[in-house]
């Protein structure tokens, strides 16, 4: 099992992909989080964004499935209230993910939109789902 101190923030695109494609790499990452192989980090703003995006009509996800999905993720999450406001990302509204990572002392921010973020911010590495999954596999193999 990975060290419990491995913390990561999951961008909304990773969570949405996981919910829509249960056999995808993002779904495997969310499963690893709910299995406590790493600690997902959440702020209210991120949780609200997950909820808002997952309940969009275009995705057709039943509200009870979204609620269960988010409850499972939250059950193992480290919830934080960011105290530092940042303005470093290219995407509108993306700073909240780095703010959460800073407050939670996370090592990784996992996103499918790496171009919206710096490659690294302080001690936080911005990685793709594929890179993060490879890291998890490596840690589990130890």
């Amino acid at each position: 099992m990975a060290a419990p101190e491995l913390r990561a923030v999951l961008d909304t695109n990773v969570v949405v992909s996981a919910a829509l494609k249960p056999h995808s790499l993002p779904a495997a990452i969310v499963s690893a989080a709910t299995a406590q192989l790493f600690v997902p980090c959440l702020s209210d703003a991120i949780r609200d964004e997950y909820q808002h995006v997952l309940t969009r009509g275009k995705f057709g996800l039943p509200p009870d499935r979204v609620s269960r999905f988010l409850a499972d993720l939250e059950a193992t999450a480290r919830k934080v209230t960011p105290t530092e406001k940042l303005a470093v990302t290219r995407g509108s509204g993306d700073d909240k993910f780095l703010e959460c990572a800073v407050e939670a002392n996370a090592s990784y921010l996992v996103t499918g939109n790496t171009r919206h973020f710096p490659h690294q911010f302080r001690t936080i590495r911005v990685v793709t789902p594929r890179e993060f999954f490879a890291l998890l596999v490596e840690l589990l193999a130890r």
Side-chain angles (χ1 to χ4, degrees):
M1 189 152 125
E5 63 268 9
L6 176 63
R7 297 180 189 147
V9 174
L10 304 178
D11 194 355
T12 305
N13 57 62
V14 175
V15 173
V16 170
S17 292
L20 293 175
K21 300 174 187 167
H23 301 292
S24 65
L25 204 53
I29 291 169
V30 170
S31 292
T34 58
Q36 299 180 344
L37 299 178
F38 75 94
V39 179
C41 303
L42 275 178
S43 65
D44 286 342
I46 291 172
R47 200 250 183 242
D48 291 348
E49 182 170 306
Y50 290 171
Q51 174 83 36
H52 175 74
V53 175
L54 286 169
T55 55
R56 287 182 183 161
K58 70 178 182 177
F59 294 131
L61 294 170
D64 61 323
R65 182 170 161 222
V66 171
S67 293
R68 274 194 317 274
F69 180 84
L70 291 176
D72 289 348
L73 187 58
E74 279 187 283
T76 60
R78 176 159 193 221
K79 295 170 194 86
V80 298
T81 302
T83 55
E84 184 178 354
K85 279 304 245 179
L86 299 172
V88 295
T89 65
R90 290 188 202 165
S92 72
D94 285 337
D95 285 310
K96 67 178 149 284
F97 296 98
L98 282 176
E99 291 165 358
C100 178
V102 167
E103 191 68 35
N105 197 24
S107 301
Y108 299 96
L109 191 160
V110 185
T111 180
N113 293 326
T114 54
R115 70 186 181 283
H116 289 185
F117 297 92
H119 178 67
Q120 181 155 342
F121 182 75
R122 298 180 188 166
T123 59
I124 303 154
R125 283 187 49 210
V126 177
V127 296
T128 65
R130 184 167 308 286
E131 290 168 323
F132 188 70
F133 190 77
L135 270 159
L136 286 176
V137 169
E138 183 183 316
L139 286 171
L140 290 172
R142 290 183 185 166

